[in-house]
Amino acid sequence: MIKGLVKRHESLKKYIKTILDQLPQYIEAYPPEEQKLLKEFLSIVAHYEEADFKREELSDKFDTYRQDIISRQNYLILPFLWFLGTYFRNARVILNNSDFHAKKFYEYLVKHLRGTAFTSGVYQLLRKGASLSDLTWEDLQYESNKLLYPLSEDQLQILEIIFSFILETGVYTLDSRKLKAAILKQVKLPKKVKNSVELNRFLKLIDGRWFLHFYSPAFGLDLLYIQFQLQSSSSLEDIIDFQNKKNTVLTQSYIYRARNSSKTYIGKLLVPTLQVNHLKNYFHHYEKEGYLTLKEFSRIRTTRVSTSLTHYKVDFGWTEPSVTKIRQLTTLLKSKHPTNKQNEDSALSLTSSFNRNWVYNQHPLPAKIIELYCKIPDEYSYSDLPLNTGNQHRTALSRNEIGLLKQLSYNEVVAIGFVPWRLVYEYSLDLYWINLPTIPDFLLKRFLCLVPYSDIYYTENSISLLTRLTPKIVHWITTDLNWRVIPVTLVHYPQNLDFNWFDVEKLKWKTPLLLLK
């Protein structure tokens, strides 16, 4: 048995070497910029044998490369990079879960280098000379994203405890010491898991992230929901240059393009509160000039984030909701007087509502509040959680900053959330924008239980969701509920707020360049 495993392990490695040796001849036919990307890819895969003797180093190498890929400016427009992001994320997960011979890891590499009966692999695509912008790379991305490792009962329980801990402790969820104690108290884990290293390893495998969700208006910034269609001769850059840092906070907007219409865009625009009307006039000007048709321009009153494991089954993975559940929910959503007869779902985590009456200049140190707001990143991994009440290690935030963060939490302008990104991506790689009618909160929660992750935006007259859906759910929403569902692709992703965009003397945000014209 052992001899057979060794033989299989060695034959897989030889297969990988054979493929890698043949690829350079095809790469030479590509343009210089594409050659560079392909050679980078080969140079990383070439370390595959480190799975035998430097497994942790190889895992970190894959993760570093993946992070580099998804942060590149051309990531959003090159399907080849989409594939690489998914390929290396999943290869790392499999590597970290592999047995001594790393058989499943080598099989995964071979499968997507070679291809399957249904999808061309890297070898076939490069031999055919497929452009790195060709959507066949997206097909390969989907193939490489199929289920890896379903969670066990203990692992699923850990996630439910994290949800519960966030609800009970708020900002103290960001203290890894307290979080670990809460988990170990309630879950009967194997001895080897009863330390931060192993717990961190599990949370890395599911790409678990904690995020701080801020109420933008409390910090002098408004979030706007905008939808527009460009005329055939116009480009997005003609309207707003989101790469120009002189446009200050506007560069921190999220812009999505409808997948079924290359000229239709949906935006979550970040703008100084005092400049909202100026920005609205700016878009109306371009509409009058014939550059675009403005379909929606609304203030987002408040936002929330949901994570749900309701339809995740132990040792199996994601399941679709039953026909009965869908039928019941459809009846409720269409009813004029729906009633709530269901208890709260413990597998649903929904960030708390915000206090809409508190703003930064009510604090005695308003500039410090804005500085902290700019400093805190969007997400934290378990090992990087910024609080440590045990004072055993350095924290990412100073004692004074921790104090300010607690005040923001007390004033209800920041909420804590958690998302296991790997599970979200396993559910679906397809992103959708959904426009809902205004519905009762309990019904919204019932709907949110269907999907693993959603950003929720409340305007004056409607609710919008940015979420991942399966074809079955999309069909149900569009045919039975008649809600508008738009498949979207992210085309502009913000980096970090710059404190230099805030005028410390006047205690207000500087005006974006385009609004000074």
Side-chain angles (χ1 to χ4, degrees):
M1 179 70 176
I2 298 296
K3 189 175 179 181
L5 283 174
V6 173
K7 188 175 180 181
R8 173 65 173 164
H9 161 260
E10 292 301 326
S11 65
L12 286 168
K13 290 201 295 184
K14 286 179 182 177
Y15 205 146
I16 294 170
K17 185 178 186 306
T18 300
I19 294 174
L20 296 184
D21 286 346
Q22 292 182 26
L23 291 181
Q25 62 182 314
Y26 304 121
I27 291 174
E28 293 303 319
Y30 280 79
E33 283 302 310
E34 294 195 352
Q35 279 190 38
K36 184 180 176 183
L37 291 174
L38 290 165
K39 288 176 181 178
E40 275 182 6
F41 162 63
L42 290 190
S43 71
I44 298 298
V45 179
H47 291 277
Y48 65 93
E49 286 189 288
E50 291 179 12
D52 290 345
F53 54 92
K54 290 183 180 178
R55 190 167 294 190
E56 192 169 328
E57 288 181 28
L58 181 59
S59 175
D60 289 341
K61 201 168 290 178
F62 279 7
D63 192 44
T64 301
Y65 182 55
R66 184 186 70 86
Q67 294 287 353
D68 176 49
I69 286 167
I70 63 178
S71 66
R72 295 183 188 185
Q73 193 171 329
N74 59 348
Y75 172 75
L76 299 171
I77 58 174
L78 273 187
F80 173 69
L81 295 185
W82 306 346
F83 159 66
L84 292 192
T86 299
Y87 185 60
F88 283 104
R89 182 188 70 237
N90 291 348
R92 180 171 173 264
V93 169
I94 294 173
L95 176 65
N96 291 341
N97 271 288
S98 285
D99 59 15
F100 178 77
H101 294 290
K103 174 174 167 280
K104 287 189 176 181
F105 169 71
Y106 290 124
E107 285 177 339
Y108 183 80
L109 293 188
V110 167
K111 178 180 179 182
H112 302 296
L113 287 172
R114 181 187 59 195
T116 68
F118 306 102
T119 309
S120 295
V122 173
Y123 176 78
Q124 292 99 322
L125 291 175
L126 295 187
R127 190 175 63 176
K128 289 190 297 186
S131 167
L132 302 194
S133 59
D134 195 305
L135 287 177
T136 50
W137 292 105
E138 186 181 27
D139 294 336
L140 186 55
Q141 178 198 18
Y142 278 65
E143 182 65 28
S144 68
N145 191 59
K146 290 185 176 175
L147 185 67
L148 302 177
Y149 292 95
L151 299 186
S152 66
E153 186 173 357
D154 287 343
Q155 289 171 331
L156 195 59
Q157 191 181 355
I158 288 174
L159 300 188
E160 290 179 352
I161 289 170
I162 290 173
F163 290 165
S164 174
F165 194 66
I166 288 172
L167 188 64
E168 293 170 6
T169 67
V171 74
Y172 287 106
T173 304
L174 304 179
D175 184 338
S176 58
R177 184 171 168 269
K178 283 182 174 290
L179 180 63
K180 178 195 165 193
I183 291 171
L184 296 183
K185 183 179 178 182
Q186 298 180 60
V187 184
K188 293 181 179 179
L189 297 173
K191 286 184 179 179
K192 71 172 187 175
V193 183
K194 292 193 175 183
N195 62 70
S196 290
V197 174
E198 290 299 327
L199 182 58
N200 187 27
R201 184 169 175 267
F202 161 64
L203 292 168
K204 274 185 178 180
L205 292 177
I206 60 168
D207 201 10
R209 304 298 177 98
W210 285 259
F211 57 86
L212 288 166
H213 184 52
F214 290 96
Y215 180 53
S216 302
F219 303 90
L221 298 172
D222 264 28
L223 198 60
L224 305 174
Y225 163 40
I226 184 170
Q227 187 178 154
F228 59 92
Q229 184 168 351
L230 295 175
Q231 299 305 315
S232 57
S233 58
S234 305
S235 68
L236 183 62
E237 291 71 25
D238 291 334
I239 310 303
I240 296 181
D241 182 0
F242 287 102
Q243 305 300 328
N244 187 350
K245 296 298 182 183
K246 291 182 179 179
N247 282 327
T248 65
V249 298
L250 267 174
T251 64
Q252 302 309 294
S253 304
Y254 288 82
I255 305 296
Y256 304 86
R257 184 177 61 229
R259 290 173 70 100
N260 52 8
S261 172
S262 63
K263 291 291 184 177
T264 298
Y265 290 87
I266 293 173
K268 298 181 293 178
L269 302 189
L270 196 64
V271 62
T273 299
L274 300 174
Q275 304 294 330
V276 170
N277 288 333
H278 290 172
L279 186 63
K280 188 172 186 178
N281 292 335
Y282 178 88
F283 273 94
H284 280 311
H285 166 75
Y286 274 93
E287 186 173 35
K288 287 178 183 177
E289 293 291 320
Y291 284 87
L292 57 86
T293 301
L294 189 61
K295 297 183 175 181
E296 182 74 41
F297 189 101
S298 303
R299 253 191 176 102
I300 294 175
R301 294 187 298 111
T302 191
T303 59
R304 300 179 81 178
V305 179
S306 73
T307 309
S308 173
L309 297 171
T310 303
H311 291 283
Y312 193 95
K313 304 305 177 188
V314 170
D315 297 327
F316 183 83
W318 292 107
T319 61
E320 295 278 14
S322 67
V323 174
T324 302
K325 279 192 175 181
I326 288 293
R327 190 181 295 122
Q328 290 173 346
L329 186 52
T330 303
T331 302
L332 278 172
L333 288 167
K334 287 185 168 183
S335 172
K336 291 183 179 179
H337 304 287
T339 55
N340 184 16
K341 296 181 179 179
Q342 186 167 319
N343 295 326
E344 293 287 324
D345 192 331
S346 63
L348 172 70
S349 176
L350 184 63
T351 55
S352 55
S353 300
F354 291 122
N355 171 12
R356 296 169 61 192
N357 298 316
W358 190 90
V359 290
Y360 69 98
N361 54 18
Q362 293 176 14
H363 193 276
L365 298 171
K368 287 292 182 185
I369 290 291
I370 299 297
E371 187 176 14
L372 178 66
Y373 175 56
C374 293
K375 176 181 178 178
I376 291 178
D378 289 339
E379 295 180 343
Y380 289 100
S381 64
Y382 173 74
S383 58
D384 294 328
L385 288 177
L387 307 186
N388 193 307
T389 53
N391 296 319
Q392 295 175 350
H393 307 283
R394 279 190 190 177
T395 62
L397 302 175
S398 69
R399 189 182 296 270
N400 288 338
E401 287 171 333
I402 291 172
L404 289 175
L405 182 58
K406 290 178 180 176
Q407 288 175 40
L408 294 178
S409 179
Y410 176 78
N411 286 308
E412 299 177 331
V413 292
V414 60
I416 316 294
F418 174 83
V419 56
W421 279 119
R422 194 200 97 203
L423 303 187
V424 173
Y425 292 136
E426 281 183 357
Y427 175 80
S428 175
L429 289 170
D430 295 324
L431 196 59
Y432 293 86
W433 186 278
I434 312 175
N435 294 121
L436 287 71
T438 301
I439 57 176
D441 200 45
F442 80 87
L443 269 186
L444 178 61
K445 289 179 181 177
R446 290 278 296 273
F447 181 84
L448 294 174
C449 285
L450 300 180
V451 292
Y453 179 84
S454 297
D455 288 317
I456 309 141
Y457 307 100
Y458 298 82
T459 65
E460 198 64 44
N461 302 310
S462 67
I463 302 170
S464 295
L465 299 183
L466 184 65
T467 188
R468 295 179 185 275
L469 302 173
T470 62
K472 181 178 178 180
I473 299 297
V474 172
H475 182 264
W476 166 63
I477 294 172
T478 53
T479 57
D480 292 4
L481 299 180
N482 270 337
W483 294 351
R484 193 176 179 208
V485 178
I486 306 172
V488 295
T489 300
L490 182 64
V491 294
H492 176 72
Y493 181 85
Q495 299 300 316
N496 291 302
L497 277 170
D498 189 338
F499 184 54
N500 292 319
W501 295 336
F502 185 76
D503 190 324
V504 177
E505 291 183 3
K506 296 180 180 178
L507 294 178
K508 66 177 186 179
W509 293 95
K510 296 175 183 178
T511 303
L513 176 65
L514 63 84
L515 298 181
L516 290 173
K517 297 177 181 178

